[in-house]
Amino acid sequence: MTVKHSFEPIVPGGATILVLGSMPGEASLDQQAYYAHPQNLFWKIPSTLPNAPALESYNDRLASLEHYQVALWDVLQQCEREGSLDSKIIKSSEKPNNIVELLEQTPSIQKICFNGQKAYQSFKKHLLKKNSEFFEQYELVTLPSTSPANASIPKDVKYEIWLREVWLCRNHDITIHEKILR
């Protein structure tokens, strides 16, 4: 079994939302870039917004996080997994990142969004149960995974949910319905 390690967090100044994945997939690990699989919707969703910053390069994508006030990290610091699927993670091998410390150092964050069920399940197991009072101050939202492996939810539904919960939080003048029609 192969031990996988997550990346360092990306925390732009003024971030109000923290998006937590479970563990980067193989394409992301190979490229050392968050959400690097070409079919992952994570970067595609905000790129469809009117007046969205250019998201051509990975540096453009990271720079856009400041515009949207979004921080990125993964719940797991390391785990054993063959391939990219969350279902292949060996539960007994999971070691969490120190998300409590990150949040203590970033008081502007008010909302934590989980990119898929596995991210939330690992968060609940390793962090929420031990720090329930600490996390009461945050809005916790589990979102459908942007991974191409999560094909059970239609793309337009994923777009709508992610736009509402993450990408449009600072752009309230654009309704989700208007965005989907473009």
Side-chain angles (χ1 to χ4, degrees):
M1 199 57 61
T2 307
V3 176
K4 313 288 182 181
H5 298 272
S6 68
F7 307 134
E8 291 296 313
I10 308 294
V11 186
T16 59
I17 297 172
L18 172 61
V19 173
L20 293 172
S22 52
M23 173 63 65
E26 291 301 307
S28 293
L29 292 169
D30 289 346
Q31 295 179 44
Q32 288 295 290
Y34 279 99
Y35 304 106
H37 191 286
Q39 299 305 313
N40 194 298
L41 299 177
F42 185 83
W43 299 112
K44 293 179 181 189
I45 295 170
S47 72
T48 63
L49 289 169
N51 304 314
L55 300 179
E56 297 302 317
S57 72
Y58 186 61
N59 285 337
D60 290 341
R61 293 170 179 181
L62 294 180
S64 77
L65 295 174
E66 186 164 0
H67 173 78
Y68 292 109
Q69 299 173 328
V70 172
L72 293 181
W73 209 10
D74 290 296
V75 174
L76 300 177
Q77 188 274 323
Q78 76 174 48
C79 67
E80 292 180 23
R81 179 189 70 204
E82 290 299 328
S84 293
L85 297 177
D86 284 346
S87 61
K88 298 292 185 182
I89 293 174
I90 306 299
K91 290 182 183 180
S92 62
S93 71
E94 295 181 358
K95 292 186 174 47
N97 275 312
N98 193 343
I99 294 165
V100 170
E101 182 178 312
L102 175 83
L103 292 169
E104 288 174 340
Q105 295 172 357
T106 318
S108 58
I109 292 175
Q110 302 164 6
K111 182 177 187 178
I112 303 170
C113 293
F114 302 94
N115 191 347
Q117 288 293 325
K118 177 60 179 173
Y120 178 71
Q121 290 167 359
S122 295
F123 173 83
K124 184 177 170 183
K125 174 183 175 183
H126 298 292
L127 296 152
L128 187 59
K129 286 184 179 179
K130 297 173 184 171
N131 304 283
S132 60
E133 285 185 29
F134 175 81
F135 287 109
E136 286 177 2
Q137 64 188 304
Y138 299 97
E139 179 183 359
L140 305 178
V141 180
T142 304
L143 302 172
S145 174
T146 58
S147 166
N150 180 22
S152 64
I153 299 173
K155 280 185 186 179
D156 61 334
V157 172
K158 289 183 189 182
Y159 272 66
E160 181 174 352
I161 294 168
W162 274 85
L163 286 169
R164 180 182 67 236
E165 297 294 341
V166 177
W167 303 112
L168 291 177
C169 283
R170 65 183 297 278
N171 298 315
H172 294 289
D173 55 325
I174 302 169
T175 67
I176 293 166
H177 182 70
E178 289 173 319
K179 173 61 215 117
I180 289 174
L181 293 177
R182 293 185 181 154

